[in-house]
Amino acid sequence: MILSPSLLSSDFGRLADELKALEQAGLKWVHWDVMDGMFVPNITLGAPVIKRLRKESNLFFDVHLMVQQPERYVDDFVDAGADMVVIHAEATNHLERTIAEIKRKGAKAGVALNPHTPLSVLEYVLDELDMVLIMSVNPGFGGQKFIPFSMRKVAELSGMIKERGLSTLIQVDGGVDPDNTAELVRNGADVLVSGSAFFGFPPYAERLKTFEEVARSA
C-alpha cells in the first residue's frame, strides 16, 4: 500500500515545510489536487506552485487535474515536475489522445472516475494507463464521507486488471482513513489518498505507521 497524502488538507501557507515533513516522516508520494472552479466548485493551485515546490522535494508528485479540458494543461504540469498526471474521463472529449500526450511528455498517466462514472469508460484505454483513480467522494472539497458503493467499484476494477494481466495501480481518493484501509487493500487498492484523516493527526510518521499497520492486516 502506498499512502499519498493530499495537500488539500495541509497548511497552504507552509507547503515547502509540509513537503519536507512528509519526506522526513517516510512518505514516498504526495497528492496535488488541482481544481479550476469549473469542473469542480473550488479553486486551488496551478502549475507555477508545483514548479516552485518541485525544487523543495524528492517526493513522487501525484498530480490530480480536476479541470475542464485537461489536455490544455498537460505540458504545463509535466514541465512543472509532475511524475504522474491524472485526468478525469468526464472532463475531456479526447481521453486516449490526452493519455498519449502525458506519456509522450515523459510522465506516468492516470484516469480518474467520479463516483457515478462506470468502469466501462476504461474499456479501450485501460491497457495504456499506469493508474486508475476511483473517486470515493464527489470531487471538489476535502473532508467528505466515503461513498460505500466505491468499495465494490474498486473490487470490480481489480478484477478487470487481473483478467488482462496488467500492472495498473488502483488509487482511491475520498474519505479514506484507517477504518476503511484494510477493506480497500483487500479489494485491490494500491494507492490511498488521505487528506484530513492524515494531516489532522500528527506526527506524520506515526500516522503513516497507523495506515501501514492496518494495511498489513488486510
Side-chain angles (χ1 to χ4, degrees), residues 81-115:
D83 295 296
M84 172 91 73
V85 176
V86 179
I87 61 172
H88 270 265
E90 307 88 355
T92 180
N93 292 324
H94 302 287
L95 186 59
E96 189 281 333
R97 180 192 297 169
T98 309
I99 293 166
E101 180 61 14
I102 294 168
K103 299 184 85 167
R104 188 190 70 80
K105 287 286 292 182
K108 294 183 182 297
V111 166
L113 303 180
N114 281 340

Coordinates of all heavy atoms in Angstrom, one line a residue, residues 81-115:
G81 N 7.0 19.4 -13.2 CA 7.6 18.4 -12.3 C 6.7 17.3 -11.9 O 7.0 16.5 -11.0
A82 N 5.5 17.2 -12.5 CA 4.6 16.1 -12.1 C 5.2 14.8 -12.6 O 5.6 14.6 -13.7 CB 3.2 16.3 -12.8
D83 N 5.2 13.8 -11.7 CA 5.6 12.5 -12.0 C 4.5 11.6 -12.6 O 4.7 10.8 -13.5 CB 6.2 11.8 -10.8 CG 7.4 12.4 -10.2 OD1 8.4 12.4 -11.0 OD2 7.4 13.0 -9.1
M84 N 3.3 11.9 -12.1 CA 2.0 11.3 -12.6 C 1.0 12.4 -12.8 O 0.8 13.2 -11.9 CB 1.5 10.3 -11.5 CG 0.2 9.7 -11.8 SD 0.2 8.1 -12.7 CE 0.8 7.0 -11.4
V85 N 0.4 12.3 -14.0 CA -0.7 13.3 -14.2 C -2.0 12.4 -14.4 O -2.1 11.5 -15.2 CB -0.5 14.1 -15.5 CG1 -1.7 15.0 -15.8 CG2 0.8 14.9 -15.3
V86 N -3.0 12.7 -13.6 CA -4.3 12.0 -13.6 C -5.3 13.0 -14.1 O -5.5 14.1 -13.5 CB -4.6 11.5 -12.2 CG1 -6.0 10.8 -12.2 CG2 -3.5 10.6 -11.7
I87 N -6.0 12.6 -15.1 CA -7.1 13.4 -15.7 C -8.4 12.7 -15.5 O -8.5 11.5 -15.3 CB -6.9 13.7 -17.2 CG1 -6.8 12.4 -18.0 CG2 -5.6 14.5 -17.4 CD1 -6.8 12.5 -19.5
H88 N -9.5 13.5 -15.5 CA -10.8 12.9 -15.4 C -11.4 12.5 -16.7 O -11.4 13.3 -17.7 CB -11.8 13.9 -14.7 CG -11.8 13.8 -13.2 ND1 -12.7 13.0 -12.5 CD2 -10.9 14.3 -12.3 CE1 -12.4 13.1 -11.2 NE2 -11.4 13.8 -11.1
A89 N -12.0 11.3 -16.8 CA -12.6 10.8 -18.0 C -13.8 11.7 -18.4 O -14.0 11.9 -19.6 CB -13.1 9.4 -17.8
E90 N -14.4 12.3 -17.4 CA -15.6 13.2 -17.7 C -15.2 14.5 -18.2 O -16.1 15.3 -18.7 CB -16.4 13.3 -16.4 CG -16.8 12.1 -15.7 CD -15.7 11.6 -14.7 OE1 -14.6 12.2 -14.6 OE2 -15.9 10.6 -14.0
A91 N -13.9 14.9 -18.2 CA -13.5 16.3 -18.4 C -13.0 16.5 -19.8 O -12.7 17.7 -20.2 CB -12.5 16.7 -17.4
T92 N -12.8 15.5 -20.6 CA -12.2 15.6 -21.9 C -13.0 14.8 -23.0 O -13.5 13.7 -22.7 CB -10.8 15.2 -22.0 OG1 -10.2 15.4 -23.3 CG2 -10.6 13.8 -21.5
N93 N -13.1 15.3 -24.2 CA -13.7 14.6 -25.3 C -12.7 13.6 -26.0 O -13.1 12.8 -26.8 CB -14.2 15.5 -26.3 CG -15.4 16.3 -25.8 OD1 -16.2 15.8 -25.0 ND2 -15.5 17.6 -26.2
H94 N -11.4 13.8 -25.6 CA -10.4 13.0 -26.3 C -9.5 12.3 -25.3 O -8.3 12.7 -25.1 CB -9.6 13.9 -27.2 CG -10.4 14.6 -28.3 ND1 -11.0 14.0 -29.3 CD2 -10.9 15.9 -28.3 CE1 -11.7 14.8 -30.1 NE2 -11.6 16.0 -29.5
L95 N -10.0 11.4 -24.6 CA -9.3 10.7 -23.5 C -8.1 10.0 -23.9 O -7.0 10.2 -23.4 CB -10.3 9.7 -22.8 CG -9.8 9.1 -21.5 CD1 -9.4 10.1 -20.5 CD2 -10.8 8.1 -21.0
E96 N -8.1 9.2 -25.0 CA -7.0 8.5 -25.4 C -5.9 9.4 -25.9 O -4.7 9.2 -25.6 CB -7.3 7.5 -26.6 CG -6.2 6.6 -26.9 CD -5.2 7.2 -27.8 OE1 -5.5 8.1 -28.6 OE2 -4.0 6.7 -27.8
R97 N -6.2 10.5 -26.6 CA -5.2 11.4 -27.1 C -4.5 12.1 -25.9 O -3.3 12.3 -25.9 CB -5.9 12.5 -27.9 CG -4.9 13.5 -28.5 CD -5.7 14.7 -29.1 NE -6.5 14.3 -30.2 CZ -7.4 15.1 -30.8 NH1 -7.6 16.3 -30.3 NH2 -8.1 14.7 -31.8
T98 N -5.3 12.5 -24.9 CA -4.6 13.1 -23.7 C -3.7 12.2 -22.9 O -2.6 12.6 -22.5 CB -5.7 13.7 -22.8 OG1 -6.6 14.5 -23.6 CG2 -5.1 14.6 -21.8
I99 N -4.2 11.0 -22.8 CA -3.3 9.9 -22.1 C -2.0 9.8 -22.9 O -0.9 9.8 -22.3 CB -4.0 8.6 -22.1 CG1 -5.2 8.7 -21.1 CG2 -3.1 7.5 -21.6 CD1 -6.2 7.5 -21.3
A100 N -2.1 9.7 -24.2 CA -0.9 9.5 -25.1 C 0.0 10.7 -24.9 O 1.3 10.6 -24.9 CB -1.3 9.3 -26.5
E101 N -0.6 11.9 -24.8 CA 0.3 13.1 -24.7 C 1.0 13.2 -23.4 O 2.2 13.6 -23.3 CB -0.6 14.4 -24.9 CG 0.1 15.7 -24.8 CD 1.2 15.9 -25.8 OE1 1.2 15.2 -26.8 OE2 2.0 16.8 -25.6
I102 N 0.3 12.8 -22.3 CA 1.0 12.7 -21.0 C 2.2 11.8 -21.1 O 3.3 12.1 -20.6 CB 0.0 12.2 -19.9 CG1 -1.1 13.2 -19.7 CG2 0.8 12.0 -18.6 CD1 -2.2 12.7 -18.8
K103 N 2.0 10.6 -21.7 CA 3.1 9.7 -21.7 C 4.2 10.1 -22.7 O 5.4 9.9 -22.5 CB 2.6 8.3 -22.1 CG 1.5 7.8 -21.1 CD 1.0 6.4 -21.5 CE 2.0 5.4 -20.9 NZ 1.4 4.0 -20.9
R104 N 3.8 10.8 -23.8 CA 4.8 11.3 -24.7 C 5.7 12.3 -24.0 O 6.9 12.4 -24.3 CB 4.1 12.0 -25.9 CG 5.1 12.4 -27.0 CD 4.4 13.2 -28.1 NE 4.0 14.5 -27.6 CZ 4.9 15.5 -27.5 NH1 6.2 15.4 -27.8 NH2 4.5 16.7 -27.0
K105 N 5.2 13.1 -23.1 CA 5.9 14.1 -22.4 C 6.8 13.5 -21.3 O 7.6 14.2 -20.7 CB 5.0 15.1 -21.7 CG 4.3 16.1 -22.7 CD 5.3 17.1 -23.2 CE 5.7 18.1 -22.0 NZ 6.6 19.1 -22.5
G106 N 6.7 12.2 -21.0 CA 7.6 11.5 -20.1 C 7.0 11.3 -18.7 O 7.7 10.8 -17.8
A107 N 5.7 11.6 -18.5 CA 5.1 11.3 -17.1 C 4.3 10.1 -17.2 O 3.9 9.6 -18.3 CB 4.3 12.5 -16.7
K108 N 4.0 9.6 -16.0 CA 3.0 8.4 -16.0 C 1.6 9.0 -16.1 O 1.3 10.2 -15.7 CB 3.2 7.7 -14.6 CG 4.5 7.0 -14.5 CD 4.6 6.2 -13.2 CE 6.0 5.5 -13.1 NZ 6.2 4.5 -14.1
A109 N 0.7 8.2 -16.6 CA -0.7 8.7 -16.9 C -1.7 7.9 -16.1 O -1.7 6.7 -16.0 CB -0.9 8.5 -18.4
G110 N -2.7 8.7 -15.6 CA -3.8 8.1 -14.9 C -5.1 8.7 -15.3 O -5.1 9.8 -15.8
V111 N -6.2 7.9 -15.1 CA -7.5 8.4 -15.3 C -8.3 8.3 -14.1 O -8.3 7.3 -13.4 CB -8.2 7.7 -16.5 CG1 -9.7 7.9 -16.5 CG2 -7.5 8.0 -17.8
A112 N -9.0 9.4 -13.7 CA -9.9 9.4 -12.6 C -11.4 9.2 -13.0 O -11.8 9.8 -14.0 CB -9.7 10.7 -11.8
L113 N -12.1 8.5 -12.2 CA -13.6 8.4 -12.4 C -14.4 8.9 -11.2 O -14.1 8.5 -10.1 CB -13.9 6.9 -12.6 CG -13.2 6.1 -13.7 CD1 -13.7 4.7 -13.8 CD2 -13.4 6.8 -15.1
N114 N -15.3 9.8 -11.5 CA -16.2 10.2 -10.5 C -17.1 9.1 -10.0 O -17.2 8.0 -10.7 CB -17.1 11.3 -11.0 CG -16.4 12.7 -11.1 OD1 -15.4 12.9 -10.4 ND2 -16.9 13.6 -11.9
P115 N -17.7 9.2 -8.8 CA -18.5 8.1 -8.2 C -19.5 7.5 -9.2 O -19.7 6.3 -9.2 CB -19.1 8.7 -7.0 CG -18.2 9.7 -6.6 CD -17.6 10.3 -7.9

